[in-house]
Amino acid sequence: MEFTAFPRKAEGRGANRRMRRAGKAPGVVYGGTQEPEAIELDHNALFHALRNEKFHASILSMTVDGKLTKVLLRDVQMHPFKNEILHVDFQRVDENRKIHMKVPLHFINGEVSPAVKLNGAIVSHVTTEVDVSCLPKDLPEFIEVDLSELGVGHSIHVSALKLPAGVSVVTHKTDPVVATAVVPRAQVETEEETAAKAAEGVAAAAAAETAAAAGGEKKDEKKDDKKK
């Protein structure tokens, strides 16, 4: 994705407030061999760009004063209750050095998994993004998680993810869970109640048959007594 930024000459809280009133968003770009550079961006254009998942997890092309720079979005500070961007940070990219980046997970085929089709389970997305390490050229926009084989009571772990060549996942836990399938408790209770009622019905029918058989035997005994 490409976007345009402009050099920011005035800095400080007062200057930033004036900038926001003028429809601009303050930011900074840092990293590489150059000094950090203060920039400003069109607020509305940036706000709409931030709604695009790709803007958060891909190499961006930023133009400042006609010069193109490859960057990553690193931080966005939002107003506590307004749709207003307070500040944004970008990091310059070195094509020859590995980067760490959070990449979103896209879950597919959940509706055809045995857990959902056969048991009416709900698939819980425990993790929606993973931290990866790779060269900038290998950075994926997202990683797919195939749920087609997921069964009830089973989980998919990070180790089962199919990663693009040159990409590795950075985790601080041992093989964390990505997705799991669980049957809703209400449904389990309903099934248990249905099974219990069915068992009661079978027991009642068996008792009725036993009573009927006993009644028949007594009638036969009375007939025999009369004949005697």
Side-chain angles (χ1 to χ4, degrees):
M1 294 184 65
E2 297 182 1
F3 68 99
T4 301
F6 307 90
R8 176 160 55 102
K9 298 177 181 179
E11 296 186 46
R13 293 182 178 180
N16 288 347
R17 283 196 295 269
R18 289 191 294 272
M19 190 184 307
R20 295 187 194 104
R21 286 197 294 268
K24 303 291 183 180
V28 65
V29 56
Y30 61 87
T33 58
Q34 305 175 47
E35 292 294 320
E37 179 182 4
I39 57 174
E40 63 181 53
L41 305 94
D42 180 84
H43 183 278
N44 289 340
L46 178 61
F47 185 82
H48 288 294
L50 289 171
R51 299 176 68 179
N52 189 331
E53 181 184 76
K54 187 177 179 181
F55 196 78
H56 293 261
S58 62
I59 307 297
L60 307 172
S61 298
M62 181 181 71
T63 301
V64 181
D65 273 351
K67 183 180 178 181
L68 184 66
T69 303
K70 298 292 184 180
V71 298
L72 290 170
L73 176 65
R74 281 308 189 190
D75 186 56
V76 180
Q77 298 175 30
M78 299 293 298
H79 192 280
F81 54 87
K82 296 180 182 178
N83 288 327
E84 182 179 44
I85 302 165
L86 299 180
H87 197 273
V88 62
D89 294 2
F90 295 96
Q91 180 185 1
R92 299 184 186 96
V93 171
D94 184 340
E95 295 291 341
N96 299 313
R97 296 186 63 180
K98 285 190 174 183
I99 57 174
H100 281 216
M101 194 74 180
K102 290 188 181 298
V103 174
L105 299 177
H106 285 189
F107 297 87
I108 61 172
N109 299 325
E111 68 281 359
V112 300
S113 67
V116 175
K117 288 189 69 176
L118 303 180
N119 303 98
I122 293 177
V123 178
S124 175
H125 301 166
V126 180
T127 303
T128 57
E129 60 183 13
V130 290
D131 191 6
V132 304
S133 174
C134 62
L135 289 174
K137 67 180 182 62
D138 297 324
L139 181 65
E141 291 181 22
F142 58 85
I143 296 173
E144 284 190 344
V145 183
D146 189 356
L147 304 172
S148 60
E149 302 297 325
L150 183 62
V152 171
H154 292 79
S155 300
I156 295 177
H157 293 258
V158 164
S159 60
L161 298 179
K162 294 182 179 179
L163 303 174
V167 178
S168 61
V169 175
V170 180
T171 63
H172 302 290
K173 297 181 180 179
T174 303
D175 204 12
V177 173
V178 172
T180 187
V182 180
V183 177
R185 183 172 180 177
Q187 182 174 325
V188 173
E189 292 175 350
T190 300
E191 291 176 353
E192 289 176 349
E193 290 175 2
T194 302
K197 289 180 180 178
E200 290 174 1
V202 171
E209 289 179 3
T210 301
E217 289 177 357
K218 288 182 178 180
K219 286 181 180 179
D220 291 340
E221 289 175 359
K222 289 179 179 180
K223 289 180 181 180
D224 291 340
D225 290 340
K226 286 181 180 180
K227 287 179 181 180
K228 291 177 179 178

